[in-house]
Coordinates of all heavy atoms in Angstrom, one line a residue:
M1 N 192.5 -117.6 38.3 CA 193.8 -117.2 37.7 C 193.6 -116.1 36.7 O 192.7 -116.2 35.9 CB 194.4 -118.5 37.0 CG 195.8 -118.2 36.5 SD 196.4 -119.6 35.5 CE 196.1 -121.0 36.6
A2 N 194.4 -115.1 36.7 CA 194.3 -114.0 35.8 C 194.8 -114.4 34.4 O 195.6 -115.2 34.3 CB 195.1 -112.8 36.3
D3 N 194.2 -113.8 33.4 CA 194.6 -114.0 32.0 C 196.0 -113.5 31.8 O 196.3 -112.4 32.4 CB 193.6 -113.4 31.0 CG 192.4 -114.3 30.8 OD1 192.5 -115.5 31.1 OD2 191.4 -113.8 30.4
T4 N 196.8 -114.2 31.0 CA 198.1 -113.7 30.7 C 198.0 -112.5 29.7 O 197.2 -112.5 28.8 CB 198.9 -114.9 30.0 OG1 198.8 -116.0 30.8 CG2 200.3 -114.5 29.7
P5 N 198.8 -111.5 29.8 CA 198.8 -110.4 28.9 C 199.1 -110.8 27.5 O 199.7 -111.9 27.3 CB 199.9 -109.5 29.4 CG 200.2 -109.9 30.8 CD 199.8 -111.3 30.9
A6 N 198.6 -110.1 26.5 CA 198.8 -110.5 25.1 C 200.3 -110.5 24.8 O 201.0 -109.6 25.2 CB 198.1 -109.4 24.2
P7 N 200.7 -111.6 24.1 CA 202.1 -111.7 23.8 C 202.5 -110.7 22.6 O 201.6 -110.3 21.8 CB 202.3 -113.1 23.3 CG 200.9 -113.5 22.8 CD 199.9 -112.7 23.6
T8 N 203.8 -110.3 22.6 CA 204.2 -109.5 21.5 C 204.1 -110.2 20.2 O 203.7 -109.7 19.2 CB 205.7 -109.1 21.8 OG1 205.7 -108.5 23.1 CG2 206.2 -108.0 20.7
D9 N 204.6 -111.5 20.2 CA 204.5 -112.3 18.9 C 203.1 -112.9 18.9 O 202.7 -113.7 19.7 CB 205.5 -113.4 19.0 CG 205.5 -114.3 17.8 OD1 204.6 -114.1 16.9 OD2 206.2 -115.3 17.8
P10 N 202.3 -112.6 17.8 CA 200.9 -113.1 17.8 C 200.9 -114.6 17.6 O 199.9 -115.2 17.9 CB 200.3 -112.4 16.6 CG 201.5 -111.9 15.8 CD 202.6 -111.6 16.8
Q11 N 202.0 -115.2 17.1 CA 202.1 -116.6 17.0 C 202.4 -117.3 18.3 O 202.3 -118.6 18.3 CB 203.1 -117.0 15.9 CG 202.8 -116.6 14.5 CD 201.6 -117.4 13.9 OE1 201.3 -118.5 14.4 NE2 200.9 -116.8 12.9
A12 N 202.7 -116.6 19.3 CA 203.1 -117.2 20.6 C 201.8 -117.8 21.2 O 200.7 -117.2 21.2 CB 203.7 -116.2 21.5
I13 N 202.0 -119.0 21.8 CA 200.9 -119.7 22.4 C 200.7 -119.0 23.8 O 201.6 -119.0 24.6 CB 201.2 -121.2 22.6 CG1 201.4 -121.8 21.2 CG2 200.1 -121.9 23.4 CD1 201.9 -123.3 21.3
T14 N 199.4 -118.5 24.0 CA 199.1 -117.9 25.2 C 198.9 -118.9 26.3 O 199.3 -118.7 27.5 CB 197.8 -117.0 25.1 OG1 198.0 -116.1 24.0 CG2 197.5 -116.2 26.3
R15 N 198.1 -119.9 26.0 CA 197.8 -120.9 27.0 C 197.4 -122.2 26.3 O 196.9 -122.2 25.2 CB 196.6 -120.4 27.8 CG 196.3 -121.3 29.1 CD 195.4 -120.6 30.0 NE 196.1 -119.4 30.6 CZ 195.5 -118.6 31.4 NH1 194.2 -118.7 31.7 NH2 196.1 -117.5 31.9
V16 N 197.6 -123.3 27.0 CA 197.3 -124.7 26.6 C 196.3 -125.3 27.5 O 196.5 -125.2 28.7 CB 198.5 -125.6 26.5 CG1 198.1 -127.0 26.0 CG2 199.6 -125.0 25.5
Y17 N 195.2 -125.8 27.0 CA 194.1 -126.4 27.8 C 194.1 -127.9 27.5 O 193.6 -128.3 26.4 CB 192.8 -125.7 27.4 CG 192.7 -124.2 27.6 CD1 193.2 -123.3 26.7 CD2 192.2 -123.7 28.8 CE1 193.2 -122.0 26.9 CE2 192.2 -122.3 29.1 CZ 192.7 -121.5 28.1 OH 192.7 -120.1 28.3
P18 N 194.6 -128.7 28.4 CA 194.6 -130.1 28.2 C 193.3 -130.7 28.1 O 192.3 -130.3 28.7 CB 195.4 -130.6 29.4 CG 196.0 -129.4 30.0 CD 195.2 -128.3 29.7
A19 N 193.2 -131.8 27.3 CA 191.9 -132.5 27.1 C 192.2 -134.0 26.8 O 192.0 -134.4 25.7 CB 191.1 -131.9 26.0
G20 N 192.8 -134.7 27.8 CA 193.1 -136.1 27.6 C 194.2 -136.3 26.5 O 195.3 -135.9 26.7
Q21 N 193.8 -137.0 25.4 CA 194.8 -137.3 24.4 C 195.1 -136.1 23.5 O 195.8 -136.2 22.5 CB 194.3 -138.5 23.6 CG 194.2 -139.7 24.4 CD 195.5 -140.1 25.0 OE1 196.5 -140.3 24.4 NE2 195.5 -140.2 26.4
L22 N 194.4 -135.0 23.7 CA 194.7 -133.8 22.9 C 194.7 -132.6 23.8 O 194.5 -132.7 25.0 CB 193.7 -133.6 21.8 CG 192.2 -133.6 22.1 CD1 191.7 -132.3 22.5 CD2 191.4 -134.1 20.9
A23 N 195.0 -131.4 23.3 CA 195.0 -130.2 24.0 C 194.6 -129.1 23.0 O 194.8 -129.2 21.8 CB 196.3 -129.9 24.6
I24 N 194.0 -128.0 23.6 CA 193.7 -126.9 22.8 C 194.7 -125.8 23.1 O 194.9 -125.4 24.2 CB 192.3 -126.3 23.0 CG1 191.2 -127.4 22.6 CG2 192.0 -125.0 22.3 CD1 189.8 -126.9 22.9
E25 N 195.4 -125.3 22.0 CA 196.3 -124.2 22.1 C 195.5 -122.9 21.8 O 194.7 -122.9 20.9 CB 197.4 -124.3 21.1 CG 198.3 -125.5 21.3 CD 199.3 -125.7 20.2 OE1 199.3 -124.9 19.2 OE2 200.2 -126.6 20.4
W26 N 195.8 -121.8 22.5 CA 195.1 -120.6 22.2 C 196.2 -119.5 22.1 O 197.1 -119.3 22.9 CB 194.2 -120.1 23.3 CG 193.4 -118.9 23.0 CD1 192.7 -118.6 21.9 CD2 193.3 -117.7 23.8 NE1 192.2 -117.4 21.9 CE2 192.5 -116.8 23.1 CE3 193.8 -117.4 25.1 CZ2 192.2 -115.5 23.7 CZ3 193.4 -116.1 25.6 CH2 192.7 -115.2 24.9
R27 N 196.1 -118.8 20.9 CA 197.1 -117.7 20.6 C 196.2 -116.4 20.7 O 195.6 -116.1 19.7 CB 197.7 -117.9 19.3 CG 198.7 -119.1 19.2 CD 199.0 -119.5 17.8 NE 200.1 -120.4 17.7 CZ 200.0 -121.7 18.0 NH1 198.8 -122.2 18.3 NH2 201.0 -122.6 17.9
Q28 N 196.3 -115.8 21.8 CA 195.5 -114.6 22.0 C 195.8 -113.5 21.0 O 194.9 -112.8 20.6 CB 195.8 -114.0 23.4 CG 194.9 -112.8 23.8 CD 195.2 -112.4 25.3 OE1 196.2 -112.8 25.9 NE2 194.3 -111.6 25.8
G29 N 197.1 -113.4 20.6 CA 197.4 -112.4 19.6 C 196.8 -112.5 18.2 O 196.8 -111.6 17.4
L30 N 196.3 -113.8 17.9 CA 195.6 -114.0 16.6 C 194.1 -113.9 16.7 O 193.4 -114.0 15.7 CB 196.0 -115.4 16.1 CG 197.5 -115.6 15.7 CD1 197.7 -117.0 15.2 CD2 197.9 -114.6 14.6
C31 N 193.6 -113.9 18.0 CA 192.1 -113.9 18.1 C 191.5 -112.7 17.5 O 191.8 -111.6 17.9 CB 191.8 -114.1 19.6 SG 190.0 -114.2 19.9
Q32 N 190.5 -112.9 16.7 CA 189.8 -111.8 16.0 C 188.4 -111.6 16.7 O 187.6 -110.8 16.2 CB 189.5 -112.2 14.5 CG 190.8 -112.4 13.7 CD 190.5 -112.9 12.4 OE1 189.4 -113.4 12.1 NE2 191.5 -112.8 11.5
H33 N 188.2 -112.3 17.8 CA 186.9 -112.1 18.6 C 185.7 -112.3 17.7 O 184.7 -111.5 17.9 CB 186.9 -110.7 19.3 CG 188.2 -110.6 20.1 ND1 188.4 -111.3 21.3 CD2 189.3 -109.8 19.9 CE1 189.6 -110.9 21.8 NE2 190.2 -110.1 20.9
S34 N 185.8 -113.2 16.8 CA 184.6 -113.5 15.9 C 183.5 -114.2 16.7 O 182.3 -114.1 16.3 CB 185.0 -114.4 14.7 OG 185.5 -115.6 15.2
G35 N 183.8 -114.9 17.7 CA 182.8 -115.6 18.5 C 182.5 -116.9 17.9 O 181.5 -117.6 18.4
N36 N 183.1 -117.3 16.8 CA 182.8 -118.6 16.2 C 182.9 -119.8 17.2 O 182.1 -120.7 17.2 CB 183.7 -118.9 15.0 CG 183.3 -118.1 13.8 OD1 182.6 -117.0 13.9 ND2 183.8 -118.5 12.6
C37 N 183.9 -119.7 18.0 CA 184.1 -120.8 19.0 C 182.9 -120.9 20.0 O 182.5 -122.0 20.3 CB 185.4 -120.6 19.7 SG 185.7 -119.0 20.5
V38 N 182.5 -119.7 20.4 CA 181.3 -119.7 21.4 C 180.1 -120.2 20.7 O 179.3 -121.0 21.3 CB 181.1 -118.3 21.9 CG1 180.0 -118.2 22.9 CG2 182.4 -117.8 22.6
K39 N 179.9 -119.8 19.4 CA 178.7 -120.3 18.7 C 178.8 -121.8 18.4 O 177.8 -122.5 18.4 CB 178.6 -119.5 17.3 CG 178.2 -118.1 17.4 CD 178.3 -117.4 16.1 CE 178.5 -115.9 16.3 NZ 179.1 -115.2 15.1
A40 N 180.0 -122.3 18.3 CA 180.2 -123.7 18.0 C 179.9 -124.5 19.3 O 179.3 -125.6 19.2 CB 181.6 -124.0 17.5
N41 N 180.3 -124.0 20.4 CA 180.1 -124.8 21.7 C 180.3 -123.9 22.9 O 181.4 -123.6 23.4 CB 181.1 -125.9 21.8 CG 180.7 -126.9 22.8 OD1 180.2 -126.6 23.9 ND2 180.8 -128.2 22.5
A42 N 179.1 -123.3 23.3 CA 179.1 -122.4 24.4 C 179.4 -123.0 25.7 O 179.7 -122.3 26.7 CB 177.8 -121.7 24.4
R43 N 179.3 -124.3 25.8 CA 179.7 -125.0 27.1 C 181.2 -125.0 27.3 O 181.7 -124.8 28.4 CB 179.2 -126.4 27.1 CG 177.7 -126.6 27.3 CD 177.3 -128.0 27.2 NE 177.4 -128.5 25.8 CZ 178.1 -129.6 25.4 NH1 178.8 -130.3 26.3 NH2 178.1 -129.9 24.1
V44 N 181.9 -125.2 26.2 CA 183.4 -125.2 26.3 C 184.0 -123.8 26.3 O 184.9 -123.5 27.1 CB 184.0 -126.0 25.0 CG1 185.5 -125.9 25.0 CG2 183.5 -127.4 25.1
F45 N 183.5 -122.9 25.4 CA 184.1 -121.6 25.2 C 183.1 -120.5 25.8 O 182.0 -120.3 25.3 CB 184.3 -121.3 23.7 CG 185.2 -122.3 23.0 CD1 184.7 -123.4 22.4 CD2 186.6 -122.2 23.1 CE1 185.5 -124.3 21.8 CE2 187.4 -123.1 22.5 CZ 186.9 -124.2 21.8
N46 N 183.6 -119.9 26.8 CA 182.8 -118.8 27.5 C 183.8 -117.7 27.9 O 184.4 -117.8 29.0 CB 182.1 -119.4 28.7 CG 181.2 -118.4 29.4 OD1 181.4 -117.2 29.1 ND2 180.3 -118.8 30.2
P47 N 183.9 -116.6 27.2 CA 184.8 -115.6 27.5 C 184.6 -114.9 28.8 O 185.4 -114.2 29.3 CB 184.7 -114.5 26.4 CG 183.8 -115.2 25.3 CD 183.1 -116.3 26.0
R48 N 183.4 -115.1 29.4 CA 183.1 -114.4 30.7 C 183.5 -115.3 31.9 O 183.3 -114.9 33.0 CB 181.5 -114.1 30.8 CG 181.1 -113.1 29.7 CD 179.7 -112.6 30.1 NE 179.2 -111.7 29.1 CZ 178.5 -112.0 28.1 NH1 178.1 -113.2 27.9 NH2 178.1 -111.0 27.2
R49 N 184.1 -116.4 31.6 CA 184.4 -117.3 32.7 C 186.0 -117.5 32.7 O 186.6 -117.3 31.7 CB 183.8 -118.7 32.3 CG 184.0 -119.8 33.3 CD 183.3 -121.1 32.8 NE 184.0 -121.5 31.5 CZ 183.4 -122.3 30.6 NH1 182.2 -122.7 30.8 NH2 184.1 -122.6 29.5
T50 N 186.5 -117.8 33.8 CA 187.9 -118.2 33.9 C 188.0 -119.6 34.5 O 187.5 -119.8 35.6 CB 188.6 -117.2 34.8 OG1 188.5 -115.8 34.3 CG2 190.1 -117.5 34.9
P51 N 188.7 -120.5 33.9 CA 189.2 -120.3 32.5 C 188.1 -120.3 31.5 O 187.1 -120.9 31.7 CB 190.1 -121.6 32.3 CG 189.4 -122.6 33.2 CD 188.9 -121.9 34.4
W52 N 188.4 -119.6 30.4 CA 187.4 -119.4 29.4 C 187.2 -120.6 28.5 O 186.1 -120.7 27.8 CB 187.6 -118.1 28.6 CG 188.6 -118.2 27.4 CD1 190.0 -118.2 27.6 CD2 188.3 -118.3 26.1 NE1 190.5 -118.3 26.3 CE2 189.5 -118.4 25.4 CE3 187.1 -118.4 25.3 CZ2 189.6 -118.5 24.0 CZ3 187.2 -118.5 23.9 CH2 188.4 -118.6 23.3
I53 N 188.1 -121.5 28.5 CA 187.9 -122.8 27.8 C 187.9 -123.9 28.8 O 188.8 -124.1 29.6 CB 189.1 -123.0 26.8 CG1 189.1 -121.9 25.8 CG2 188.9 -124.4 26.1 CD1 190.3 -122.0 24.8
E54 N 186.8 -124.7 28.8 CA 186.7 -125.9 29.7 C 186.6 -127.1 28.8 O 185.5 -127.4 28.3 CB 185.5 -125.8 30.6 CG 185.7 -124.7 31.7 CD 184.6 -124.7 32.7 OE1 183.6 -125.4 32.6 OE2 184.7 -124.0 33.7
T55 N 187.7 -127.8 28.6 CA 187.7 -128.9 27.6 C 186.9 -130.1 28.0 O 186.4 -130.9 27.2 CB 189.2 -129.3 27.3 OG1 189.7 -129.7 28.6 CG2 190.0 -128.2 26.7
E56 N 186.7 -130.2 29.4 CA 185.9 -131.4 29.8 C 184.4 -131.3 29.5 O 183.7 -132.3 29.8 CB 186.1 -131.6 31.4 CG 185.6 -130.5 32.2 CD 186.5 -129.3 32.4 OE1 187.5 -129.1 31.6 OE2 186.3 -128.5 33.4
Q57 N 184.0 -130.2 29.0 CA 182.6 -130.0 28.6 C 182.2 -130.6 27.3 O 181.0 -130.5 26.9 CB 182.3 -128.5 28.6 CG 182.5 -127.8 29.9 CD 181.5 -128.0 30.9 OE1 180.4 -128.6 30.7 NE2 181.7 -127.5 32.1
A58 N 183.1 -131.3 26.6 CA 182.8 -131.8 25.3 C 183.7 -133.0 25.0 O 184.7 -133.3 25.6 CB 183.0 -130.8 24.2
T59 N 183.3 -133.8 24.0 CA 184.1 -134.9 23.5 C 185.2 -134.4 22.7 O 185.2 -133.2 22.2 CB 183.2 -135.9 22.7 OG1 182.8 -135.2 21.5 CG2 182.0 -136.3 23.4
D60 N 186.2 -135.3 22.4 CA 187.3 -134.9 21.5 C 186.8 -134.4 20.2 O 187.3 -133.4 19.6 CB 188.3 -136.1 21.4 CG 189.1 -136.4 22.6 OD1 188.8 -135.7 23.6 OD2 189.9 -137.3 22.6
D61 N 185.8 -135.2 19.6 CA 185.3 -134.8 18.3 C 184.6 -133.4 18.3 O 184.8 -132.6 17.4 CB 184.4 -135.8 17.8 CG 185.1 -137.1 17.3 OD1 186.3 -137.0 17.1 OD2 184.4 -138.1 17.0
E62 N 183.9 -133.2 19.4 CA 183.3 -131.8 19.5 C 184.3 -130.7 19.7 O 184.1 -129.6 19.1 CB 182.3 -131.8 20.7 CG 181.1 -132.7 20.5 CD 180.2 -132.9 21.8 OE1 180.8 -132.8 22.9 OE2 179.0 -133.1 21.6
L63 N 185.4 -131.0 20.4 CA 186.4 -130.0 20.5 C 187.1 -129.7 19.2 O 187.3 -128.6 18.8 CB 187.5 -130.5 21.5 CG 187.0 -130.6 23.0 CD1 188.1 -131.2 23.8 CD2 186.6 -129.2 23.5
R64 N 187.4 -130.8 18.4 CA 188.0 -130.6 17.1 C 187.1 -129.8 16.2 O 187.5 -129.0 15.4 CB 188.3 -132.0 16.5 CG 189.5 -132.7 17.1 CD 189.9 -133.9 16.3 NE 191.0 -134.7 16.9 CZ 190.8 -135.7 17.7 NH1 189.6 -136.1 18.0 NH2 191.9 -136.3 18.2
A65 N 185.8 -130.1 16.2 CA 184.8 -129.4 15.3 C 184.8 -127.9 15.7 O 184.7 -127.1 14.8 CB 183.5 -130.1 15.5
A66 N 184.8 -127.6 17.0 CA 184.7 -126.2 17.4 C 186.0 -125.5 17.0 O 185.9 -124.4 16.5 CB 184.4 -126.1 18.9
V67 N 187.1 -126.1 17.2 CA 188.4 -125.5 16.9 C 188.5 -125.2 15.4 O 189.0 -124.2 15.0 CB 189.6 -126.3 17.4 CG1 190.9 -125.9 16.8 CG2 189.6 -126.2 19.0
A68 N 187.9 -126.1 14.6 CA 188.0 -126.0 13.2 C 187.2 -124.8 12.7 O 187.5 -124.3 11.6 CB 187.4 -127.3 12.5
R69 N 186.3 -124.3 13.5 CA 185.6 -123.1 13.1 C 186.3 -121.8 13.4 O 185.8 -120.7 13.1 CB 184.2 -123.1 13.7 CG 183.3 -124.2 13.1 CD 181.9 -124.2 13.7 NE 181.2 -123.0 13.5 CZ 180.0 -122.7 13.9 NH1 179.4 -123.7 14.6 NH2 179.5 -121.6 13.7
C70 N 187.4 -121.8 14.1 CA 188.2 -120.6 14.4 C 188.8 -120.1 13.1 O 189.6 -120.8 12.4 CB 189.2 -120.9 15.4 SG 190.3 -119.5 15.8
P71 N 188.5 -118.9 12.7 CA 188.9 -118.4 11.3 C 190.3 -117.9 11.3 O 190.9 -117.6 10.3 CB 187.9 -117.2 11.1 CG 187.6 -116.7 12.4 CD 187.6 -117.9 13.3
S72 N 190.9 -117.7 12.5 CA 192.2 -116.9 12.5 C 193.4 -117.8 12.8 O 194.6 -117.4 12.7 CB 192.1 -115.9 13.6 OG 192.0 -116.5 14.9
G73 N 193.2 -119.1 13.3 CA 194.3 -119.9 13.8 C 194.6 -119.6 15.2 O 195.6 -120.1 15.7
A74 N 193.8 -118.8 15.9 CA 194.0 -118.6 17.3 C 193.8 -119.9 18.1 O 194.5 -120.1 19.1 CB 193.1 -117.5 17.8
L75 N 192.9 -120.7 17.7 CA 192.7 -122.0 18.4 C 193.2 -123.1 17.5 O 193.0 -123.1 16.3 CB 191.2 -122.2 18.5 CG 190.4 -121.3 19.5 CD1 188.9 -121.6 19.5 CD2 190.9 -121.5 20.9
R76 N 194.0 -124.0 18.1 CA 194.5 -125.1 17.4 C 194.5 -126.3 18.3 O 194.6 -126.2 19.5 CB 196.0 -124.9 16.9 CG 196.1 -123.7 16.0 CD 197.5 -123.4 15.5 NE 197.6 -122.0 15.0 CZ 198.7 -121.5 14.6 NH1 199.8 -122.2 14.5 NH2 198.8 -120.2 14.2
I77 N 194.4 -127.5 17.6 CA 194.4 -128.8 18.4 C 195.9 -129.3 18.4 O 196.5 -129.3 17.4 CB 193.5 -129.8 17.7 CG1 192.1 -129.4 17.8 CG2 193.8 -131.2 18.3 CD1 191.4 -129.6 19.2
R78 N 196.3 -129.7 19.6 CA 197.6 -130.3 19.7 C 197.3 -131.8 20.1 O 196.7 -132.0 21.1 CB 198.4 -129.7 20.8 CG 199.8 -130.3 21.0 CD 200.4 -129.9 22.3 NE 200.8 -128.4 22.2 CZ 201.4 -127.8 23.2 NH1 201.7 -128.4 24.3 NH2 201.7 -126.5 23.1
E79 N 197.8 -132.7 19.3 CA 197.6 -134.1 19.6 C 198.7 -134.5 20.6 O 199.9 -134.4 20.3 CB 197.7 -135.0 18.3 CG 196.6 -134.6 17.3 CD 195.2 -135.0 17.7 OE1 195.0 -135.8 18.6 OE2 194.3 -134.5 17.0
V80 N 198.3 -135.0 21.7 CA 199.2 -135.3 22.8 C 199.6 -136.8 22.8 O 200.7 -137.2 22.9 CB 198.6 -134.9 24.2 CG1 199.6 -135.3 25.3 CG2 198.3 -133.4 24.2
G81 N 198.5 -137.7 22.7 CA 198.8 -139.1 22.8 C 199.0 -139.8 21.5 O 199.0 -139.2 20.4
Ligands
SF4_1 S1 186.8 -118.5 17.0 FE1 189.0 -118.0 17.1 S2 189.2 -115.9 16.5 FE2 187.0 -116.3 17.0 S3 186.8 -115.7 19.1 FE3 187.2 -117.9 19.1 S4 189.4 -118.0 19.3 FE4 189.0 -115.9 18.7

């Protein structure tokens, strides 16, 4: 699946990656390409892969910890359950 073009509104959610009782939201317009997410967990976050986020590669706590290292707010956790 091709990536969605960058939204005009940087706060717009580009894509949601479900992960059981939670989901990761990604706002492409806010991404500063710091690579913190990749450094935090390269199994989950891999910009060379599609989809670039594979939530099944980590536990919920690992996903939360990696998202917490995003400096821009581009990655956020959505609690589903
Ligand atoms: S940590 Fe956040 S700002 Fe940095 S590359 Fe990942 S999504 Fe983008």
